[in-house]
Amino acid sequence: MPDVLSNSDKTPSWHALDGADCLSRQQSAPTGLTHSEAQRRLIACGPNRLPVPPKRSALWRFLLQFHNVLIYILLASGMVTLLLRDWIDSGVIFGVVVINAFIGFIQEGKAESAMSAIRNMLSLRARVRRDGIVVEIPAEDLVAGDIVHIADGDKVPAEIRLLQTHSLRIDESALTGESEPAEKAPPRTVVAAPLGERSSMAYSGTLVTHGQGAGVVVATGMATEIGRISNLLATVEPLTTPLLGKLDRFGRQLTVAILALAGLTFGIGVFVHHLPGNDMFLAAVALAVAAIPEGLPAIITITLAIGVQRMARRNVIIRHLPAVEALGAVTVICSDKTGTLTRNEMTTQHIVTATQLYAVTGAGYAPQGDITLNDEIINPAEHADLLELCRSALLCNDATLHEHAGNWQLTGDPTEGALLTLGIKADLDVVKEREIRPRLDEIPFESEYRFMATLHHDHAGHHFIYIKGAPEHLLERCTAQRSDGQDRPLDKSYWQTHMDTLAGNGARVLALSFKAVTSEQRELHFDTVTTGLTLLGLLGIIDPPRSEAIAAVAQCRRAGIAVKMITGDHYLTAQAVGAQLGLDTALASMTGTDLEALDDTALRQVARDTVVFARTSPELKLRLVQALQADGEVLAMTGDGVNDAPALKRADIGVAMGLKGTEAAKEAAEMVLTDDNFASIVAGVEEGRTVYDNIKKSILFILPTNMAEALI
C-alpha cells in the first residue's frame, strides 16, 4: 500500500499535483476502484469517520465538581458542624456544596460536545464509481482512490482532488471563513496556496452550493482537514477563568490562615493557659468554622446567575457560569470578520461608468439606501448609463429577496443578492422589469468562462443580451463602452485603473455588459457573446462592517480593550474592512504565510503589535491566542466555523455566533451571541465588569463579618 493512502506526514500537497498524477499515486483510474480493492483498502486504512473518544462517566463528572479547595474547606466545616450537632449550619453548608456541584455538572462537557458536533458535520452518503458504475454507499466506506461524484446540495464526503467540474462552487466558510462560496476547477494550484485558494480541492464536511464535480479521494477520516482540526481540538487544554483562578488562590490562602489561627488558638490554650485539650480542640474547630465564609460560594453563584439573566436580555447566552466574570476581565478581543464585524451580506458600494463614479449607501440586502454622485443623492432615472447598468444587474440575475419579520432574506447567490438590492435602490421594480423584458434563454455561470449571460426581448420587438462576470474576462469580449447613452470606443486603460482601485480597497469587482441582437435570436450560445459586447460599467461589492460594530470597536478602545481581527478571508478585504472599522491597520497587518515563518518568541511580538491577521489557519489562530495569553492578556475569541473551535476552546472566553455559527464552534465556546453582533460582546463586557465589581463587594463584606465572628 503506498504511503499516500496512510495518514502519515509524507502525504503530498494534492492541490499542487496534476489530476493524472493524483490518480497514479493513489493507484486508481477514472473508472474507479474495483469492489474487492476498495474492501481491501477499507480494512487496511479504516473507515472514513472520526473516532469517538472515550467519555467520562456521568458519576465521575459529578464527583469532579467537588475537586476544589474552597469546596474541601466547606465539606470539612460541614462535617465539624455536624459533629457539633449544629444542624442548621451544616444543612446550609452541604446544601451550598451540592447546588454548586449540580450547576457545574450541568455546564460540564463542552469539549466532548464540540467533538461530537464536528463528527456530525460529515456526510452520511456518497456517490462513488465502483467497477465503472456509479453507486451510492455509506460515506464511512469511502477509501483513498475512490472516484466520488458531488452535486448541488451535497456535503463533500471526503478530501477530494477534483478531476472534473461543471460550474462547481463550494461553501467552505466553516473551514476558511470566506464569506462567498469558492469556485472550483481541476487545474492544479501552487504548493504554497492557502486552503481558501486551493481551487482544485474539495474538503470533507463542506457544502456544494452550485454545479457538479467528480474527483479522486485522497484522504479520509482523521487524515482530512476536518479530522486534523478535530485532533487539534482534542489536544487543546481549556484554561480556567480568571474568577476560578483567583478563587482557587484565595481558597488556599484562606485555608492556611484559618488553620494557622486555629492551631495558634489551640497551642496558646493548652501550653500557655494549661486548659483541657478536648475543650481547646472544640474551641479551635469552632473558630475555624466561624472564620470559613461558607456563604461565599452561594453568593458568587447567585451573582453569576443574575449576570447570566442580564446578559441574555442583551443577546448573550452564557454556557459556563464563571465566564460571566471572565468577560469583565477581558483585555483583548480577537474577532472573526465575516458575520461578526460585518453583516455577512454582500453589498454594492461603488459604481463606475464611462463618465462617472457613483457611491451607494446602505448595507446588506435590505433595499434601503441611495445612489450618490459627489456626495449628493441623485435620481437614477436622470442618469441613463447608470440606470441601464442597474437594470442589467437586476435582469441578469437568478436571486430573489423577500421580507420576513422586518428582515430581508436572500434566496440564491450572495453576489446576485447585492445586485438585486442595487436595482431596487435605483427605483427599479423587479416584477415589472421582468415582465417588460422577459428572459428567453440564458448561459449559466461557468467557472471556465467566469460570466453569466441572459437573452431578453421587450414588447417593442428589441432583442438584447445582458452579461455579467469577471471584468478581466469581459473586457476581452468588449469592443465598445456605453457613454451618455451612446456606444463609443473602449478605453481599456480607464477601466483597468478603476478595476485595480476597487480591488485594492478589498472589493469584489464585477463587470456588466450589453449586446443588441436580431429578433431571430431565440437561443444563446457561447459564440454569440465572444465578441462585440458593450461595457456598461463596473461594480465594487463588499461585505461591509456593521455600523454598530464600528461604534463598539471605538468603545472598546476607549475602555482600554484592544481589538484584533483574525480572519481566513483575503488580505486586501481584511485590510479594507479593518480600516472602515477604525482599526489602526497602518500599524501592522499580516497573512498566515507570514506568521508560519515565525517562532513562538517572534510571534508574541507580532501578536502584540498587529491588528489584522488574514488567511489564517486553525493552527495559527490557536498559536495567536496562546501568544497573547503568554503576554498576560485575558482574551476573548469570537468565531463561527469549525476552524475556529480550537482557538475558542483555548481562549479565556470563547464567543460563538448563534445565528450562522457551526455547532462545533458553539459547543467549544463559553458564550453564544444570539444576534452574531460584535456590539453584543461589548455589552457582555459591561455586564461582566458589573458582576466582577459585585463579587468583589461581596467578598469585602463577608470576610470581615466572618473574621469578627471568629474573634468573638
Side-chain angles (χ1 to χ4, degrees), residues 463-673:
H463 284 61
F464 44 89
I465 304 169
Y466 287 128
I467 310 99
K468 74 167 188 287
E472 61 273 16
H473 287 260
L474 284 193
L475 271 177
E476 297 173 358
R477 293 170 168 80
C478 290
T479 55
Q481 63 189 40
R482 183 62 54 87
S483 178
D484 297 326
Q486 302 293 321
D487 287 359
R488 305 187 188 279
L490 186 69
D491 183 355
K492 283 192 175 183
S493 61
Y494 170 85
W495 298 107
Q496 189 63 54
T497 298
H498 288 292
M499 285 164 52
D500 294 341
T501 301
L502 290 172
N505 289 329
R508 181 183 179 185
V509 186
L510 199 67
L512 293 110
S513 58
F514 170 91
K515 183 177 183 178
V517 293
T518 63
S519 58
E520 286 76 23
Q521 184 90 38
R522 311 296 295 183
E523 295 181 352
L524 265 183
H525 304 283
F526 280 106
D527 55 5
T528 311
V529 292
T530 53
T531 187
L533 306 184
T534 298
L535 187 63
L536 297 176
L538 303 174
L539 300 179
I541 304 170
I542 198 169
D543 180 15
R546 296 173 180 266
S547 57
E548 58 270 32
I550 296 173
V553 167
Q555 187 177 352
C556 283
R557 296 177 70 175
R558 288 194 299 270
I561 300 173
V563 179
K564 299 177 185 292
M565 182 198 299
I566 303 179
T567 178
D569 219 333
H570 193 277
Y571 175 79
L572 290 175
T573 304
Q575 275 273 77
V577 172
Q580 293 180 46
L581 283 164
L583 299 178
D584 190 4
T585 54
L587 182 63
S589 299
M590 297 192 74
T591 66
T593 306
D594 301 326
L595 296 172
E596 285 172 351
L598 302 177
D599 59 23
D600 290 343
T601 303
L603 187 64
R604 283 179 61 178
Q605 178 69 35
V606 167
R608 183 167 57 248
D609 297 339
T610 307
V611 295
V612 174
F613 302 90
R615 284 289 190 242
T616 50
S617 65
E619 291 89 349
L620 281 175
K621 290 183 179 183
L622 180 58
R623 284 187 67 201
L624 284 169
V625 168
Q626 292 170 326
L628 288 165
Q629 288 171 334
D631 256 3
E633 305 289 0
V634 179
L635 188 74
M637 173 77 192
T638 77
D640 56 1
V642 64
N643 60 326
D644 298 314
L648 290 173
K649 183 180 174 185
R650 172 68 189 193
D652 294 284
I653 179 160
V655 184
M657 303 300 107
L659 293 177
K660 298 179 180 178
T662 60
E663 288 304 311
K666 295 175 190 176
E667 295 295 344
E670 288 84 12
M671 178 174 128
V672 179
L673 303 183

Side-chain angles (χ1 to χ4, degrees), residues 12 23 40 65 98 100 102 168 211 244 304 386 441 449 696:
L23 283 172
R40 187 178 74 82
Q65 306 309 313
V98 171
N100 184 72
F102 271 111
L168 182 63
L244 292 180
L304 293 175
L386 170 67
D441 198 10
Y449 300 101
K696 190 165 65 173

Side-chain angles (χ1 to χ4, degrees), residues 51-227:
V52 180
K55 285 189 175 182
R56 295 175 297 179
S57 68
L59 177 61
W60 182 244
R61 279 177 51 209
F62 181 71
L63 291 176
L64 283 176
Q65 306 309 313
F66 299 93
H67 183 52
N68 179 285
V69 173
L70 206 56
I71 297 299
Y72 292 154
I73 298 172
L74 287 175
L75 287 173
S77 62
M79 290 300 297
V80 172
T81 53
L82 202 60
L83 292 173
L84 294 174
R85 298 174 180 265
D86 189 346
W87 311 119
I88 295 177
D89 280 357
S90 60
V92 170
I93 291 170
F94 286 123
V96 167
V97 170
V98 171
I99 291 171
N100 184 72
F102 271 111
I103 290 173
F105 176 74
I106 292 169
Q107 298 291 344
E108 264 288 349
K110 61 180 179 295
E112 291 88 343
S113 299
M115 294 288 290
S116 176
I118 290 180
R119 288 193 296 274
N120 292 337
M121 290 182 65
L122 301 182
S123 177
L124 298 177
R125 308 288 296 177
R127 290 189 302 279
V128 60
R129 200 177 299 163
R130 295 269 176 89
D131 294 313
I133 301 172
V134 177
V135 294
E136 189 172 281
I137 64 171
E140 66 178 29
D141 290 344
L142 284 176
V143 295
D146 265 327
I147 303 298
V148 171
H149 293 256
I150 53 177
D152 240 352
D154 288 346
K155 271 189 178 179
V156 179
E159 214 110 301
I160 299 172
R161 173 57 170 90
L162 295 166
L163 304 175
Q164 303 169 359
T165 60
H166 179 72
S167 303
L168 182 63
R169 279 181 278 178
I170 299 179
D171 180 1
E172 296 178 335
S173 57
L175 292 179
T176 65
E178 287 275 11
S179 52
E180 286 194 84
E183 295 176 8
K184 298 295 181 177
R188 63 182 182 179
T189 56
V190 296
V191 174
L195 190 133
E197 296 176 8
R198 297 175 188 174
S199 56
S200 58
M201 294 291 297
Y203 290 97
S204 180
T206 57
L207 180 66
V208 179
T209 60
H210 189 270
Q212 301 87 37
V216 58
V217 174
V218 294
T220 60
M222 290 299 289
T224 63
E225 186 70 19
I226 203 168

